[in-house]
């Protein structure tokens, strides 16, 4: 028994409508997930009786449908209830979803890390379970297709899966799934996906082909009482290149640079203060965290790359917050930017005297030197206003010459200087990053507040706010001897909501 669909099928509904095992006329039932343009092969989802162990046991599998089918993935076995009119009852459907999630996580590189116990809520406690189920299956299918499918099937099916995963329904389901998984499993889930996407993009680049990759950026926003929070993830290889000294750098260095992903968390605290004639809305920075995390283990990074010390680092972060409907806005006020660097002037004068041998003149050498040293924080914070939009900027500066890093290139002399600030940048005591290679801006240092004054008519309403962001990552050599340097940029956009109450 087989079926197919003109577009991507609803797998949850298909499974729910499968007949009881006692009504089967064949040993398996299958449905086409996607097919190649030539229609000579397809990726199928099949459910099969396990006759060798028990006639009530079934398992699901993804197969490449050729004249001799190739099995690409198989689920755990599930026991069916022969008295039920459905093939799978609610507990088994929930267990199948968990099976999808566990197998996605297995494609991550940190297999030696002790994973937290996966606990998923019961079926009756999850809203939009159907969308989450279909999203988890889609994600698993993408990874199976990248890693396991034959080449002539992979190219066509990946495009279909990409289009489905980047749709609005799938992105909404992704946000729900992340909330249910929790932050620790969320990071592992995204790293598994972005490792697969990185492999796919690297394969396309090796053949000099280009394609819009599936969800190169995954982000979502949470609006809750007193807190706005945005999560974002993007493989470095998928970020736009702003400038590069040598796009065709040696392969080992490119491997180290490409097999990382950007992980970011943006948190704002807010307060709504209702006055007699107006409303004050105050927003302050709680935490801005930005990390560049490797997607493969240290062993592979040393074998195929140039080690774990070569990677991009954050060099600029820019955020713009805008109320989308500005009818009830009176004004916006910002506080001061971070202080200007202090300059210290030192004047040093030395006198050198010497007596020369007879028959020569007495020489007295006098020299005066003036040196200037500049003391400044590596990161400078600035606020600005455009209309009713507030723009927050964090800039990294070269502590040697004070130039902004994201928009400048180091000289070759500085690249060879072992004492330059960007050498040993993850272990030096004066590093501008965490030891892991990221940055954290906390409210106590970079948390100057922003105020909007609103019309009191806004009380009782829900306002929509847009946050747009840009993050720049820069690579300057750390320990590896190379003149290669580049800067990449990522842009994201999310909608947040504010209840005026």
């Amino acid at each position: 028994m087989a079926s197919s669909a003109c577009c991507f099928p609803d797998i949850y509904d298909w499974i729910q409508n499968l007949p009881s095992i006692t009504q089967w006329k064949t040993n398996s039932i299958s449905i086409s997930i996607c097919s190649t343009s030539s229609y000579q092969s397809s990726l199928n989802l099949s459910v099969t009786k396990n006759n060798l162990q028990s006639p009530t046991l079934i398992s699901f599998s993804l197969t490449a449908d050729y004249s001799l089918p190739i099995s690409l993935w198989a689920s755990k076995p599930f026991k069916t209830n022969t008295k039920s009119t459905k093939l799978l009852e609610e507990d088994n459907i929930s267990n199948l979803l968990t099976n999808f999630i566990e197998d996605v996580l297995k494609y991550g590189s940190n297999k030696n890390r002790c994973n937290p116990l996966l606990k998923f809520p019961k079926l009756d406690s999850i809203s939009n379970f159907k969308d989450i189920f279909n999203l988890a299956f889609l994600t698993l299918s993408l990874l199976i297709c990248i890693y396991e499918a034959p080449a002539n099937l992979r190219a066509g099916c990946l495009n279909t899966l990409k289009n489905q995963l980047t749709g609005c329904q799938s992105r909404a389901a992704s946000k729900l799934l992340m909330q249910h998984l929790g932050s620790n499993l969320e990071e592992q889930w995204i790293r598994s996906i972005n490792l697969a996407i990185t492999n796919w993009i690297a394969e396309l680049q090796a053949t000099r082909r280009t394609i819009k990759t599936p969800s190169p950026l995954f982000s979502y926003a949470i609006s809750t009482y007193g807190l706005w929070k945005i999560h974002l993830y993007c493989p470095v290889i998928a970020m736009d290149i702003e400038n590069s000294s040598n796009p065709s750098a040696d392969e080992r260095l490119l491997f180290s640079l490409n097999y990382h992903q950007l992980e970011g968390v943006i948190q704002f605290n807010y307060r709504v203060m209702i006055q007699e004639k107006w409303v004050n809305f105050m927003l302050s920075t709680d935490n801005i965290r930005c990390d560049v995390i490797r997607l493969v283990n240290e062993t592979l990074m040393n074998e195929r790359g140039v080690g774990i010390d070569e990677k991009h680092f954050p060099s600029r972060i820019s955020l713009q917050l805008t109320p989308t409907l500005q009818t009830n806005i009176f004004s916006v006020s910002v506080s001061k930017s971070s202080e200007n660097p202090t300059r210290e002037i030192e004047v040093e004068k030395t006198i050198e005297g010497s007596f020369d041998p007879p028959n020569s003149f007495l020489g007295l050498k006098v020299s005066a030197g003036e040196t200037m040293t500049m003391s400044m924080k590596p990161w400078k914070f600035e606020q600005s206003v455009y209309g009713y939009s507030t723009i927050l900027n964090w800039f990294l500066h070269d502590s040697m010459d004070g130039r902004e890093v994201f928009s400048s290139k180091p000289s070759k002399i500085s690249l060879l200087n072992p004492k330059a600030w960007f050498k040993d940048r993850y272990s030096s005591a004066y590093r501008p990053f965490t030891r892991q290679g990221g940055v954290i801006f906390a409210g106590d240092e970079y948390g100057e507040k922003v105020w909007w004054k609103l019309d009191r008519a806004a009380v009782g309403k829900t306002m929509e706010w847009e946050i747009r962001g840009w993050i720049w990552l820069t690579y300057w050599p750390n320990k590896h001897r190379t003149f290669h340097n580049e800067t990449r940029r990522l842009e994201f956009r999310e909608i947040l909501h504010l209840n005026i109450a």
Side-chain angles (χ1 to χ4, degrees):
M1 187 184 301
S3 62
S4 61
C6 60
C7 56
F8 200 87
D10 186 327
I11 296 302
Y12 178 80
D13 279 353
W14 180 75
I15 292 175
Q16 288 285 67
N17 291 323
L18 287 171
S20 171
I21 198 169
T22 57
Q23 300 177 28
W24 286 22
K25 297 180 181 179
T26 59
N27 285 332
S28 67
I29 302 174
S30 57
I31 184 172
S32 175
I33 301 302
C34 54
S35 59
T36 61
S37 56
S38 61
Y39 298 102
Q40 294 177 352
S41 59
S42 63
L43 183 66
N44 290 355
L45 173 64
S46 301
V47 55
T48 307
K49 290 181 182 179
N50 194 337
N51 291 324
L52 295 178
Q53 296 183 13
S54 169
T56 60
L57 284 180
I58 61 168
S59 61
F60 292 84
S61 62
L62 280 169
T63 59
D65 186 26
Y66 293 93
S67 54
L68 291 175
I70 302 173
S71 177
L72 306 178
W73 169 84
S75 73
K76 298 175 181 178
F78 295 94
K79 189 171 184 178
T80 63
N81 182 358
T82 56
K83 296 181 180 179
S84 174
T85 57
K86 293 184 177 181
L87 181 66
L88 289 183
E89 296 182 323
E90 288 188 351
D91 285 347
N92 274 336
I93 288 285
S94 184
N95 291 336
L96 180 57
L97 170 60
T98 301
N99 194 165
F100 293 158
I101 296 172
E102 289 175 334
D103 285 1
V104 168
L105 297 178
K106 288 178 182 177
Y107 277 100
S109 65
N110 297 323
K111 294 184 175 62
N112 295 327
R113 180 180 294 180
C114 181
N115 292 333
L117 181 64
L118 175 62
K119 292 184 178 180
F120 207 76
K122 293 183 179 180
L123 179 63
D124 55 7
S125 65
I126 301 178
S127 60
N128 301 90
F129 180 87
K130 171 182 171 178
D131 292 337
I132 292 176
F133 184 95
N134 285 337
L135 182 278
F137 174 76
L138 260 173
T139 304
L140 178 62
S141 299
L142 176 76
L143 270 61
I144 296 296
C145 205
I146 289 174
Y147 290 117
E148 316 293 348
N152 60 345
L153 178 62
R154 182 167 67 247
C157 287
L158 280 177
N159 192 52
T160 300
L161 294 169
K162 175 206 68 173
N163 292 336
Q164 192 71 19
L165 276 169
T166 52
C168 295
Q169 187 173 8
S170 291
R171 290 184 66 83
S174 293
K175 297 178 183 181
L176 291 172
L177 177 58
M178 295 305 99
Q179 292 174 25
H180 287 293
L181 287 181
S183 185
N184 288 50
L185 287 180
E186 171 186 321
E187 290 185 356
Q188 294 181 47
W189 173 273
I190 298 295
R191 290 174 192 177
S192 293
I193 297 171
N194 283 344
L195 174 58
I197 291 174
T198 298
N199 282 321
W200 181 20
I201 298 175
E203 177 186 345
L204 293 173
Q205 290 180 346
T207 57
R208 301 192 181 280
R209 289 184 293 157
T210 58
I211 188 172
K212 187 177 180 182
T213 54
S215 192
L217 163 70
F218 172 69
S219 64
Y220 68 94
I222 297 173
S223 302
T224 186
Y225 183 76
L227 175 70
W228 281 348
K229 186 177 183 181
I230 299 96
H231 287 243
L232 57 95
Y233 305 88
C234 184
V236 168
I237 197 173
M239 295 176 66
D240 294 332
I241 298 177
E242 287 237 321
N243 60 69
S244 177
S245 62
N246 180 16
S248 58
D250 67 88
E251 291 185 3
R252 289 176 62 85
L253 175 59
L254 287 181
F255 183 89
S256 286
L257 297 181
N258 288 336
Y259 278 82
H260 285 86
Q261 79 168 7
L262 167 67
E263 299 183 1
V265 176
I266 299 166
Q267 293 177 180
F268 292 106
N269 292 323
Y270 70 81
R271 288 179 61 194
V272 176
M273 294 162 282
I274 301 176
Q275 308 296 323
E276 184 179 352
K277 296 182 179 180
W278 65 80
V279 177
N280 284 329
F281 170 48
M282 183 180 69
L283 191 73
S284 62
T285 302
D286 175 66
N287 248 208
I288 309 292
R289 303 193 296 270
C290 184
D291 286 300
V292 181
I293 304 297
R294 57 185 164 87
L295 295 171
V296 297
N297 58 41
E298 185 174 348
T299 301
L300 187 59
M301 193 64 82
N302 289 329
E303 289 176 352
R304 295 191 57 188
V306 291
I308 62 174
D309 294 315
E310 303 305 313
K311 62 179 181 178
H312 293 77
F313 54 84
S315 55
R316 181 186 175 187
I317 300 173
S318 181
L319 304 175
Q320 178 176 302
L321 293 128
T322 306
T324 58
L325 182 62
Q326 302 186 354
T327 307
N328 295 318
I329 307 292
F330 285 153
S331 65
V332 58
S333 302
V334 295
S335 51
K336 68 176 182 178
S337 297
S338 56
E339 296 179 356
N340 291 324
T342 58
R343 294 175 181 268
E344 299 173 0
I345 306 298
E346 296 180 358
V347 178
E348 180 182 352
K349 295 180 179 180
T350 60
I351 298 176
E352 297 179 5
S354 64
F355 291 97
D356 291 336
N359 303 322
S360 67
F361 63 91
L362 175 64
L364 181 63
K365 297 179 181 179
V366 179
S367 65
E370 179 177 306
T371 60
M372 181 182 73
T373 62
M374 181 170 62
S375 174
M376 66 177 296
K377 294 180 180 180
W379 285 93
K380 183 175 176 62
F381 173 64
E382 292 181 350
Q383 292 182 335
S384 59
V385 171
Y386 176 75
Y388 287 141
S389 299
T390 294
I391 303 168
L392 313 177
N393 277 295
W394 291 263
F395 300 92
L396 177 65
H397 290 77
D398 186 334
S399 59
M400 303 299 290
D401 56 23
R403 291 188 300 172
E404 292 176 347
V405 171
F406 85 100
S407 59
S408 61
K409 293 184 179 181
S411 66
K412 290 186 177 181
I413 295 177
S414 66
L415 289 175
L416 296 174
N417 180 8
K419 294 184 179 180
W421 75 264
F422 48 85
K423 298 286 188 175
D424 296 322
R425 56 180 173 259
Y426 307 124
S427 56
S428 168
Y430 303 102
R431 62 183 183 267
F433 313 104
T434 65
R435 192 173 183 85
Q436 195 174 27
V439 291
I440 300 175
F441 303 127
D444 57 350
E445 187 174 7
Y446 294 98
E448 301 292 351
K449 299 176 178 61
V450 182
W451 290 268
W452 281 270
K453 184 169 285 189
L454 315 178
D455 189 337
R456 210 176 187 287
V459 175
K461 297 181 180 178
T462 298
M463 294 185 65
E464 183 182 84
W465 296 68
E466 177 194 65
I467 178 168
R468 294 183 65 192
W470 299 264
I471 298 176
W472 285 259
L473 298 183
T474 297
Y475 171 72
W476 289 353
N478 184 26
K479 295 182 178 180
H480 185 62
R481 293 180 64 85
T482 179
F483 290 125
H484 178 68
N485 58 88
E486 71 173 19
T487 294
R488 292 175 176 261
R489 180 178 61 87
L490 165 71
E491 180 176 352
F492 65 92
R493 175 183 177 273
E494 287 294 334
I495 296 296
L496 296 154
H497 295 93
L498 174 69
N499 295 321
I500 309 297

mmCIF file of all heavy atoms in Angstrom, residues 229-242:
data_model
loop_
_atom_site.group_PDB
_atom_site.id
_atom_site.type_symbol
_atom_site.label_atom_id
_atom_site.label_comp_id
_atom_site.label_asym_id
_atom_site.label_seq_id
_atom_site.Cartn_x
_atom_site.Cartn_y
_atom_site.Cartn_z
ATOM 1 N N LYS A 229 13.227 38.764 25.816
ATOM 2 C CA LYS A 229 14.356 37.859 25.612
ATOM 3 C C LYS A 229 14.375 37.367 24.175
ATOM 4 O O LYS A 229 13.344 36.961 23.634
ATOM 5 C CB LYS A 229 14.259 36.669 26.572
ATOM 6 C CG LYS A 229 15.462 35.729 26.551
ATOM 7 C CD LYS A 229 15.286 34.626 27.598
ATOM 8 C CE LYS A 229 16.485 33.711 27.656
ATOM 9 N NZ LYS A 229 16.313 32.633 28.661
ATOM 10 N N ILE A 230 15.551 37.399 23.552
ATOM 11 C CA ILE A 230 15.717 36.929 22.176
ATOM 12 C C ILE A 230 16.849 35.917 22.144
ATOM 13 O O ILE A 230 17.938 36.161 22.695
ATOM 14 C CB ILE A 230 16.042 38.091 21.205
ATOM 15 C CG1 ILE A 230 14.911 39.108 21.178
ATOM 16 C CG2 ILE A 230 16.293 37.565 19.800
ATOM 17 C CD1 ILE A 230 15.118 40.288 22.087
ATOM 18 N N HIS A 231 16.594 34.769 21.545
ATOM 19 C CA HIS A 231 17.620 33.762 21.293
ATOM 20 C C HIS A 231 17.920 33.761 19.798
ATOM 21 O O HIS A 231 16.995 33.847 18.978
ATOM 22 C CB HIS A 231 17.136 32.366 21.688
ATOM 23 C CG HIS A 231 17.068 32.129 23.161
ATOM 24 N ND1 HIS A 231 17.835 31.174 23.799
ATOM 25 C CD2 HIS A 231 16.336 32.709 24.135
ATOM 26 C CE1 HIS A 231 17.575 31.179 25.086
ATOM 27 N NE2 HIS A 231 16.656 32.106 25.320
ATOM 28 N N LEU A 232 19.185 33.599 19.431
ATOM 29 C CA LEU A 232 19.511 33.495 18.007
ATOM 30 C C LEU A 232 20.732 32.605 17.807
ATOM 31 O O LEU A 232 21.632 32.547 18.644
ATOM 32 C CB LEU A 232 19.744 34.881 17.399
ATOM 33 C CG LEU A 232 20.810 35.784 17.998
ATOM 34 C CD1 LEU A 232 22.132 35.644 17.249
ATOM 35 C CD2 LEU A 232 20.340 37.227 17.973
ATOM 36 N N TYR A 233 20.708 31.896 16.679
ATOM 37 C CA TYR A 233 21.769 30.962 16.314
ATOM 38 C C TYR A 233 22.005 31.058 14.810
ATOM 39 O O TYR A 233 21.047 31.154 14.035
ATOM 40 C CB TYR A 233 21.381 29.518 16.645
ATOM 41 C CG TYR A 233 20.972 29.269 18.074
ATOM 42 C CD1 TYR A 233 19.645 29.438 18.488
ATOM 43 C CD2 TYR A 233 21.898 28.850 19.025
ATOM 44 C CE1 TYR A 233 19.265 29.205 19.797
ATOM 45 C CE2 TYR A 233 21.526 28.599 20.337
ATOM 46 C CZ TYR A 233 20.204 28.778 20.717
ATOM 47 O OH TYR A 233 19.820 28.544 22.012
ATOM 48 N N CYS A 234 23.275 30.988 14.397
ATOM 49 C CA CYS A 234 23.574 30.988 12.967
ATOM 50 C C CYS A 234 24.939 30.352 12.738
ATOM 51 O O CYS A 234 25.909 30.718 13.416
ATOM 52 C CB CYS A 234 23.568 32.413 12.409
ATOM 53 S SG CYS A 234 23.817 32.489 10.622
ATOM 54 N N PRO A 235 25.064 29.408 11.787
ATOM 55 C CA PRO A 235 26.387 28.885 11.456
ATOM 56 C C PRO A 235 27.250 29.985 10.853
ATOM 57 O O PRO A 235 26.763 30.785 10.048
ATOM 58 C CB PRO A 235 26.103 27.791 10.424
ATOM 59 C CG PRO A 235 24.641 27.709 10.262
ATOM 60 C CD PRO A 235 23.985 28.821 11.006
ATOM 61 N N VAL A 236 28.505 30.055 11.248
ATOM 62 C CA VAL A 236 29.398 31.101 10.742
ATOM 63 C C VAL A 236 29.486 31.046 9.221
ATOM 64 O O VAL A 236 29.524 32.078 8.545
ATOM 65 C CB VAL A 236 30.796 30.958 11.387
ATOM 66 C CG1 VAL A 236 31.824 31.842 10.677
ATOM 67 C CG2 VAL A 236 30.732 31.316 12.866
ATOM 68 N N ILE A 237 29.498 29.846 8.657
ATOM 69 C CA ILE A 237 29.656 29.685 7.211
ATOM 70 C C ILE A 237 28.490 30.302 6.437
ATOM 71 O O ILE A 237 28.622 30.641 5.254
ATOM 72 C CB ILE A 237 29.797 28.181 6.858
ATOM 73 C CG1 ILE A 237 30.371 28.002 5.452
ATOM 74 C CG2 ILE A 237 28.484 27.454 7.036
ATOM 75 C CD1 ILE A 237 30.690 26.565 5.108
ATOM 76 N N ALA A 238 27.337 30.494 7.104
ATOM 77 C CA ALA A 238 26.159 31.059 6.440
ATOM 78 C C ALA A 238 26.056 32.567 6.588
ATOM 79 O O ALA A 238 25.168 33.185 6.007
ATOM 80 C CB ALA A 238 24.892 30.401 6.991
ATOM 81 N N MET A 239 26.947 33.193 7.353
ATOM 82 C CA MET A 239 26.891 34.636 7.549
ATOM 83 C C MET A 239 27.480 35.358 6.338
ATOM 84 O O MET A 239 28.360 34.843 5.650
ATOM 85 C CB MET A 239 27.669 35.022 8.816
ATOM 86 C CG MET A 239 27.059 34.475 10.098
ATOM 87 S SD MET A 239 28.048 34.826 11.579
ATOM 88 C CE MET A 239 27.916 36.602 11.677
ATOM 89 N N ASP A 240 26.977 36.565 6.077
ATOM 90 C CA ASP A 240 27.461 37.365 4.948
ATOM 91 C C ASP A 240 28.881 37.851 5.217
ATOM 92 O O ASP A 240 29.194 38.309 6.322
ATOM 93 C CB ASP A 240 26.551 38.575 4.717
ATOM 94 C CG ASP A 240 25.158 38.172 4.260
ATOM 95 O OD1 ASP A 240 25.040 37.102 3.627
ATOM 96 O OD2 ASP A 240 24.206 38.918 4.546
ATOM 97 N N ILE A 241 29.735 37.785 4.191
ATOM 98 C CA ILE A 241 31.102 38.278 4.307
ATOM 99 C C ILE A 241 31.121 39.767 3.975
ATOM 100 O O ILE A 241 30.749 40.169 2.875
ATOM 101 C CB ILE A 241 32.056 37.514 3.375
ATOM 102 C CG1 ILE A 241 32.104 36.031 3.754
ATOM 103 C CG2 ILE A 241 33.459 38.110 3.429
ATOM 104 C CD1 ILE A 241 32.967 35.190 2.839
ATOM 105 N N GLU A 242 31.540 40.583 4.922
ATOM 106 C CA GLU A 242 31.646 42.030 4.689
ATOM 107 C C GLU A 242 32.972 42.377 4.034
ATOM 108 O O GLU A 242 33.040 43.194 3.121
ATOM 109 C CB GLU A 242 31.517 42.783 6.011
ATOM 110 C CG GLU A 242 30.116 42.797 6.580
ATOM 111 C CD GLU A 242 29.609 44.213 6.797
ATOM 112 O OE1 GLU A 242 30.387 45.064 7.224
ATOM 113 O OE2 GLU A 242 28.409 44.449 6.551
#
